[in-house]
Amino acid sequence: MKRAIPVSIQSGLRKLGADIKKARLRRGLKMELLAQRAGISLETLSKIQKGHPGVSIGHYAGVIFGLGMGTDWMNLASIENDAVGQWIDESKIPKRVRDKKGD
């Protein structure tokens, strides 16, 4: 059974797609050239610009890279940006350290 994608994710992908399209247009790039740079079909690029959720993250990344926008997206889930993960790690630190028997 296929699950519905949350509305917030759908709207976020539509915004990302629209931003990608605007970036392409600002750079004066034809869809054909950007698709070629990203190694994808025109159909896939069109879906990305519409924020289609079925397109792989690799294709989105290829388009972002093809626009010359770098690889900053790679740090989205890094520990530095993961406040919840950092909090969980901190909560696991013992309050004190006891000597082991025999030491």
Side-chain angles (χ1 to χ4, degrees):
M1 181 175 176
K2 191 174 182 179
R3 288 197 233 184
I5 296 171
V7 173
S8 59
I9 292 174
Q10 291 176 10
S11 62
L13 286 171
R14 281 193 298 273
K15 181 187 180 316
L16 176 59
D19 290 347
I20 286 171
K21 181 177 182 177
K22 288 175 191 173
R24 178 183 64 78
L25 293 172
R26 280 192 301 267
R27 286 160 175 74
L29 297 175
K30 292 187 176 190
M31 286 183 67
E32 294 83 2
L33 179 58
L34 182 54
Q36 182 181 17
R37 284 183 180 180
I40 61 174
S41 68
L42 280 172
E43 180 182 358
T44 300
L45 179 56
S46 178
K47 287 179 179 180
I48 287 172
Q49 291 185 158
K50 293 174 184 171
H52 193 282
V55 177
S56 80
I57 191 168
H59 292 326
Y60 275 92
V63 169
I64 291 167
F65 188 77
L67 287 167
M69 299 179 91
T71 56
D72 287 345
W73 61 270
M74 290 184 202
N75 295 317
L76 289 174
S78 70
I79 186 68
E80 294 83 15
N81 296 323
D82 185 7
V84 173
Q86 290 177 20
W87 180 83
I88 291 169
D89 280 348
E90 287 290 321
S91 69
K92 291 179 183 177
I93 296 174
K95 303 268 187 258
R96 61 187 146 177
V97 178
R98 296 184 180 166
D99 286 337
K100 294 181 184 178
K101 290 185 180 183
D103 283 347

